[in-house]
Amino acid sequence: MSLRLYNTLTRSKETFVPIDAAHVRMYVCGPTVYDLAHIGNARPIIVFDVLYRLLRALYGRDGVAYVRNITDVDDKINARAAERGVTIRELTEDTNRVFQADVKALGCLDPDVQPRATEHIDEMVELIERLVAKGFAYVAQEHVLFSPAAMDAAKGGWPRYGALANRSLDEMIAGARVDVAPYKRDATDFVLWKPSKAGDPGWPSPCGIASPGRPGWHIECSAMSWRRLIRDFAGKISCDAADANVFDIHGGGIDLVFPHHENEIAQSCCALDTPRMANVWMHNGFLQVEGEKMSKSLGNFITINELLHTSNFGGRKWAGEVLRLAMLRTHYRQPIDWTAKALEEAEKTLDRWYGALEGVAEDATEPTEAFMAALQDDLNTPGAIAELFSMASEHPAQARASARLLGLLQMTPAEWKGLREADLAISPAAIEEMIAARLAARAAKNWAESDRIRDELVAKGVALKDAKDPATGELRTTWEAKR
Ligand code: AMP
Ligand code: ZN
């Protein structure tokens, strides 16, 4: 069985062959920490966490390096900090702290490295100076700009500019034509470095530019992936010379294909003189609300934090594992419609799976072959989850071992039950008291009172189940959390 992944660059599903099977290297574009992450932002985090877990299962725990950056220099950060009257450092630290707690609650492992853009300015400056020295970039009015035309003219053995996004130069010129900055030679040129106004964060500029400046957005990922996945592995990777500056997998949301990833490729290929930046380019589809991409700019977003801790979505809060299962029930390349109904279904499914696990001892069971086959087919999580459904009642231990590869069923059944009960508007002891009162009402043939008690419990999220004790014929009532 081999791992097959869909590669945006070739538009096909390919067998994954690592450059060095002892060190599989993956980079994923992480959050810009100016505001809390919304549940759409959580999609790449969860999807690539599943891939990370799968790669660790296939290549060994220490055989995988996963880098996900933190973008802590950005115009939106400056604006937000000024608006709130806090320092940039305070804003980015606070936002990052909540982000880390949120994605932990979603069951995601920490990446091996979470580099910050502001800690990799030296690498950005070095790449920019190389690009200027080689004629791929130029200085104009204290900016440094990258020239896609120069990249294409050089025919350096790399794909043409626009190959990842499958766009022609004409389309890109048309797209860039609005408000072209006067210092650009061509409409498609993009910023590598720009001057900082007084009060904005600034660093000594490259290429002899006198005033302090700051990086454009795209250069940071070329710099961080180079530093963390190429330079930090110098001497450790065994590969052909042509692969010396290539890593294995680069991921992010589909909106990053153009211009962000296209520009990362342009910068890295030209500065490092490599035919490829990464071998496999993976992109998750959008999470949508009523057919539209969830985004800050559209204002139709709900944050991970609100889903976990407030009743702002569907009138109640949701466990991280519920959000995770709801996310993984759709294949990562398909759009997802985010609804309270889907969350309720995911929760019911977890109730059932945890219920089947009660009394089942932890053992060393491995994920099943059918489950692994689904995951290895371009992360077919809906297929893998269908396998879990068919295993859950008959082979719960196997279901658990398999589910853990998806980051699910991480709790004990008792912990899950405790979590669900904590969500109720009533304590378990009070429920037992009401059940006893109801049984007394029934014994007295006071059906109205018995029904009233049951309805009151339903309103508090508790469902009752009546059954006759087979031995004594006595009525027994049990209850379940139904929210
Ligand atoms: P941003 O903070 O906008 O740069 O986004 C961070 C990550 O979340 C990127 O990988 C985006 O592609 C991804 N992303 C943003 N919005 C959505 C969405 N609605 N659905 C799926 N992924 C998204
Ligand atoms: Zn990036």
Side-chain angles (χ1 to χ4, degrees):
M1 216 186 306
S2 57
L3 173 60
R4 289 170 64 76
L5 298 172
Y6 182 87
N7 189 350
T8 307
L9 197 55
T10 58
R11 285 163 188 83
S12 60
K13 227 192 265 186
E14 299 168 347
T15 299
F16 175 66
V17 183
I19 295 165
D20 176 349
H23 303 280
V24 178
R25 291 163 292 162
M26 170 162 83
Y27 186 94
V28 172
C29 296
T32 304
V33 283
Y34 74 104
D35 204 349
L36 300 191
H38 61 64
I39 189 70
N41 300 135
R43 192 170 191 195
I45 305 292
I46 293 176
V47 163
F48 291 102
D49 180 68
V50 170
L51 180 55
Y52 181 43
R53 289 168 185 270
L54 176 63
L55 290 169
R56 281 163 44 127
L58 297 174
Y59 295 96
R61 254 184 124 78
D62 301 324
V64 186
Y66 174 24
V67 175
R68 187 182 67 214
N69 73 287
I70 294 164
T71 298
D72 59 353
V73 47
D74 183 275
D75 292 349
K76 288 189 290 261
I77 296 177
N78 305 343
R80 185 60 56 91
E83 200 180 296
R84 291 219 186 129
V86 296
T87 65
I88 285 168
R89 191 76 189 171
E90 280 164 350
L91 175 70
T92 57
E93 286 296 312
D94 280 357
T95 312
N96 184 45
R97 203 172 309 119
V98 180
F99 174 76
Q100 299 296 337
D102 285 350
V103 301
K104 187 149 265 153
L106 294 175
C108 297
L109 300 171
D110 284 337
D112 296 287
V113 190
Q114 298 197 61
R116 287 157 185 266
T118 51
E119 288 166 8
H120 293 74
I121 302 285
D122 287 352
E123 287 83 355
M124 297 186 217
V125 165
E126 187 172 344
L127 290 180
I128 291 170
E129 292 198 320
R130 286 193 194 192
L131 288 169
V132 172
K134 291 171 189 238
F136 296 112
Y138 59 93
V139 178
Q141 296 180 22
E142 307 206 301
H143 291 67
V144 186
L145 293 130
F146 184 93
S147 164
M151 170 186 183
D152 283 354
K155 301 207 179 348
W158 44 69
R160 71 173 175 86
Y161 184 77
L164 180 73
N166 208 9
R167 293 194 192 194
S168 71
L169 204 59
D170 285 347
E171 276 175 88
M172 291 182 284
I173 291 170
R177 203 166 269 156
V178 233
D179 260 348
V180 178
Y183 43 79
K184 288 191 182 178
R185 285 182 195 161
D186 287 316
T188 50
D189 295 352
F190 61 88
V191 171
L192 299 173
W193 190 266
K194 56 190 174 185
S196 284
K197 293 191 297 284
D200 280 346
W203 290 265
S205 294
C207 312
I209 299 170
S211 51
R214 61 192 197 281
W217 172 32
H218 317 297
I219 194 69
E220 64 174 57
C221 290
S222 286
M224 287 184 272
S225 61
W226 176 47
R227 164 70 195 280
R228 297 302 179 168
L229 291 177
I230 305 290
R231 280 179 38 190
D232 285 357
F233 281 85
K236 293 185 195 153
I237 299 290
S238 76
C239 67
D240 295 343
D243 284 334
N245 287 313
V246 187
F247 57 91
D248 295 295
I249 300 171
H250 194 315
I254 189 85
D255 54 335
L256 297 187
V257 171
F258 193 87
H260 186 52
H261 288 169
E262 195 74 58
N263 291 353
E264 284 187 29
I265 291 174
Q267 297 161 160
S268 294
C269 286
C270 293
L272 304 175
D273 197 13
T274 174
R276 279 158 291 115
M277 178 185 186
N279 279 337
V280 186
W281 290 78
M282 293 177 67
H283 296 97
N284 64 270
F286 286 139
L287 183 144
Q288 303 184 327
V289 194
E290 284 152 24
E292 283 202 277
K293 174 193 172 192
M294 180 177 283
S295 77
K296 300 257 166 71
S297 53
L298 290 172
N300 61 349
F301 66 93
I302 179 102
T303 64
I304 309 169
N305 207 261
E306 285 174 288
L307 285 160
L308 291 169
H309 303 295
T310 74
S311 57
N312 293 355
F313 190 80
R316 44 163 299 195
K317 58 185 183 173
W318 303 92
E321 210 166 303
V322 170
L323 305 177
R324 188 175 175 102
L325 176 58
M327 193 75 88
L328 293 175
R329 288 192 70 174
T330 304
H331 186 258
Y332 76 92
R333 288 195 284 124
Q334 300 298 321
I336 297 190
D337 205 24
W338 195 252
T339 63
K341 187 160 172 286
L343 299 186
E344 278 165 14
E345 278 169 17
E347 188 174 63
K348 276 194 199 125
T349 299
L350 288 170
D351 279 342
R352 189 146 16 111
W353 290 351
Y354 275 113
L357 274 173
E358 263 170 58
V360 176
E362 290 280 344
D363 57 23
T365 314
E366 293 286 316
T368 65
E369 248 177 62
F371 176 89
M372 288 300 282
L375 267 193
Q376 290 189 72
D377 178 15
D378 192 31
L379 299 186
N380 180 2
T381 55
I385 289 167
E387 287 299 322
L388 294 180
F389 272 106
S390 65
M391 279 183 261
S393 51
E394 301 284 308
H395 305 287
Q398 271 184 344
R400 177 170 54 203
S402 304
R404 286 197 175 151
L405 204 48
L406 293 176
L408 295 168
L409 300 186
Q410 308 262 26
M411 288 175 240
T412 65
E415 282 164 343
W416 174 256
K417 214 167 157 213
L419 191 86
R420 300 280 280 117
E421 288 171 7
D423 276 351
L424 293 172
I426 181 170
S427 72
I431 297 172
E432 294 299 343
E433 264 173 43
M434 287 177 72
I435 288 176
R438 178 169 168 270
L439 286 176
R442 288 177 68 104
K445 300 203 180 333
N446 185 351
W447 309 118
E449 174 65 1
S450 147
D451 287 351
R452 189 198 61 75
I453 294 173
R454 194 196 50 216
D455 292 347
E456 190 182 328
L457 283 170
V458 167
K460 293 192 153 96
V462 178
L464 299 185
K465 226 192 276 171
D466 294 319
K468 276 213 162 81
D469 187 314
T472 63
E474 216 179 308
L475 189 66
R476 288 266 170 101
T477 302
T478 53
W479 66 273
E480 276 180 73
K482 263 292 174 243
R483 281 203 217 215

